[in-house]
Amino acid sequence: MKILVLNSGSSTQKSALFELGSDPSDQPAPPLWEGKLEWDGDKETLAVKNANGKKFNAEAVVQPKDRRSSLAKMLQKLWQPPTQTIRDGSEIAVIGHRIVHGGPNLYQPTIVTPEVKQAIAEVSAIAPLHNKAGLQGIEIAEKLFPRKPQVAVFDTGFHRTMPPCAAVYPGPYEWFERGIRRYGFHGINHEYCAHRAARMLGHETSSLKIISCHLGNGCSLAAIDAGKSVDTTMGFTPLEGVMMGTRGGWVDPGILLHLMRADHASVDQLDDVLNRHSGLLGISGVSSDMRDVLEAAGKNNERAKLAFDIFVHRLQTGIAAMAASLGGVDAIVFTAGIGENSAEVRRATCARLGFLGVQIDEGKNSLAKPDVEISTSKSAVHVLVICAQEDWSIARECARLTRTM
Ligand code: AMP
């Protein structure tokens, strides 16, 4: 069956078409077609390619409200030359959506119904940037592919197994009763990486303690024991945890109180600072992209060097925290844009993890092409670089959920 996946981010909208059997294997299949929309202020870029290497690229100036029509235009490239891959929308069997936040009640992959849409909308109050984009994707897909089943897959779902000591904030207990708790994110890819790591090492997932480091625009670590998440660095929202492109991760909440009192900072100003002007961008002043930060650091830009050092320091302390939650570690996985591509980040991070028994082979690290192991044969911990497979994982969930329909 042909399965279309929509992966809506705050400033990107990715989409991919897969062909999967009703009982898909654990081996990721390459997409038949891929599209990506990216927004930077008023500038929009659209890139589409199909399996035959045919491409379509466009740039435009758009208003934010045009996002829906841009998404519809991108999806029409599925049946328009030069990237035509299907005759028309009727060939698509199911549409799968990555929904970032499932809140307290939504964690299993679920067929989208009006009630599910309502529940996703209610959680938007917690994750406004991401869940609204996910809902827009659902609405466009309903218009373009009427009567086709749609499936919501939640990034928070994998972390529902976290024990209460990891999930509950030590504020007043009423917070927890109101749903203010640690949820964790990137679960779709963390779960995939744990199974992929086990297969690469020739072990059962059930026998391994794994730390998965998802390092992309957003970054989070997960402590995975016997295939189940027992701790993670992101929390109630994707703001908590290690340093990211434009988000700082762990900061003292007292800073926010201080800014409110001293500068009369509004909620929107704090939201903007925390979500868009912190992290690599906030410290370096150069860019949120690790490649730009590394290039500037290489030219002795002091703030870019500091941004890199904080990024690595936070990663090291985060990995140590995850190792403590697991009571040991068999494998560390680097995944997503930075994790897969930056030998510098992996080298600097692992350099201080010798106390855990981590030892990487510098030759393998600098040439690493995922999926590959980069630790030495003497290392007590396997270190792996694994290609993130969020979209394929969503497609597989769609195939599993709809095979009996
Ligand atoms: P993702 O969210 O997984 O698409 O990751 C996007 C991020 O990956 C970008 O913002 C970059 O910071 C990072 N990235 C991609 N390629 C490289 C590279 N070769 N070296 C360092 N960082 C990279």
Side-chain angles (χ1 to χ4, degrees):
M1 63 172 95
K2 290 198 174 68
I3 302 172
L4 181 67
V5 173
L6 297 190
N7 187 337
S8 310
S10 50
S11 60
T12 59
Q13 170 69 63
K14 297 184 210 164
S15 182
L17 181 72
F18 294 90
E19 180 141 41
L20 266 64
S22 60
D23 190 11
S25 78
D26 283 346
Q27 193 62 33
L32 303 175
W33 177 98
E34 278 176 287
K36 184 176 181 185
L37 273 163
E38 221 163 343
W39 294 279
D40 182 6
D42 284 347
K43 195 176 127 205
E44 175 185 279
T45 51
L46 169 62
V48 183
K49 66 176 175 191
N50 69 11
N52 300 326
K54 294 274 190 321
K55 291 185 181 165
F56 175 88
N57 291 299
E59 271 191 15
V61 175
V62 289
Q63 300 300 319
K65 65 175 165 28
D66 284 343
R67 199 175 149 135
R68 287 162 195 266
S69 60
S70 302
L71 174 54
K73 271 187 209 144
M74 175 172 83
L75 294 177
Q76 282 157 3
K77 299 284 170 212
L78 275 162
W79 53 85
Q80 286 173 355
T83 57
Q84 180 170 17
T85 303
I86 53 176
R87 199 177 53 251
D88 56 44
S90 67
E91 274 190 59
I92 291 173
V94 196
I95 301 104
H97 299 267
R98 172 179 170 236
I99 302 296
V100 168
H101 211 312
N105 302 319
L106 297 169
Y107 41 86
Q108 300 279 17
T110 306
I111 299 283
V112 175
T113 61
E115 292 74 28
V116 169
K117 272 169 51 182
Q118 179 60 30
I120 296 170
E122 281 162 16
V123 182
S124 293
I126 308 176
L129 289 178
H130 292 94
N131 270 28
K132 280 186 188 149
L135 273 175
Q136 270 184 1
I138 291 175
E139 280 160 16
I140 296 289
E142 282 173 343
K143 285 210 177 85
L144 284 176
F145 312 105
R147 291 179 297 281
K148 298 286 178 175
Q150 303 208 41
V151 173
V153 184
F154 301 96
D155 241 353
T156 43
F158 178 56
H159 300 293
R160 74 187 180 280
T161 50
M162 278 197 294
C165 63
V168 182
Y169 283 107
Y173 189 73
E174 289 73 30
W175 283 5
F176 179 60
E177 292 176 320
R178 284 177 56 188
I180 300 175
R181 47 162 287 172
R182 304 187 67 244
Y183 289 99
F185 299 87
H186 296 137
I188 299 164
N189 192 44
H190 284 311
E191 182 172 22
Y192 166 78
C193 284
H195 290 295
R196 176 77 184 128
R199 204 161 348 102
M200 285 170 73
L201 298 173
H203 289 287
E204 293 296 319
T205 316
S206 57
S207 68
L208 292 173
K209 293 178 188 292
I210 296 172
I211 299 174
S212 165
C213 307
H214 180 111
L215 310 176
N217 282 318
C219 302
S220 77
L221 314 184
I224 304 165
D225 197 354
K228 295 201 169 12
S229 173
V230 295
D231 203 355
T232 189
T233 53
M234 281 181 169
F236 179 60
T237 72
L239 275 176
E240 191 179 336
V242 295
M243 186 176 179
M244 313 175 212
T246 59
R247 287 167 267 170
W250 291 300
V251 293
D252 180 350
I255 297 170
L256 308 181
L257 301 180
H258 172 74
L259 292 174
M260 289 165 83
R261 288 200 187 101
D263 299 357
H264 305 289
S266 68
V267 173
D268 286 345
Q269 283 167 335
L270 293 178
D271 186 316
D272 202 38
V273 164
L274 293 172
N275 275 303
R276 284 174 281 274
H277 297 285
S278 298
L280 291 174
L281 175 65
I283 296 295
S284 72
V286 172
S287 167
S288 62
D289 190 313
M290 183 57 88
R291 286 165 290 198
D292 301 333
V293 173
L294 283 166
E295 193 187 329
K299 292 178 183 154
N300 281 325
N301 179 318
E302 289 302 325
R303 279 177 51 186
K305 281 194 211 171
L306 177 62
F308 178 80
D309 289 346
I310 302 173
F311 188 89
V312 168
H313 171 74
R314 295 268 165 141
L315 205 45
Q316 289 163 335
T317 53
I319 289 171
M322 294 300 108
S325 290
L326 287 167
V329 52
D330 299 306
I332 296 174
V333 174
F334 287 94
T335 180
I338 299 173
E340 290 164 32
N341 295 300
S342 179
E344 289 94 327
V345 168
R346 296 191 300 259
R347 180 187 310 119
T349 304
C350 292
R352 286 180 74 89
L353 298 180
F355 75 99
L356 288 173
V358 172
Q359 202 180 78
I360 61 167
D361 178 318
E362 198 30 60
K364 287 185 192 163
N365 179 45
S366 52
L367 297 173
K369 290 260 173 297
D371 298 349
V372 71
E373 179 165 1
I374 58 167
S375 39
T376 66
S377 56
K378 291 205 184 88
S379 182
V381 178
H382 296 282
V383 183
L384 306 168
V385 184
I386 296 182
C387 187
Q389 292 287 355
E390 261 167 4
D391 292 347
W392 175 80
S393 301
I394 292 168
R396 194 175 56 158
E397 292 298 346
C398 290
R400 284 180 175 160
L401 196 65
T402 55
R403 76 179 144 207
T404 50
M405 288 175 74

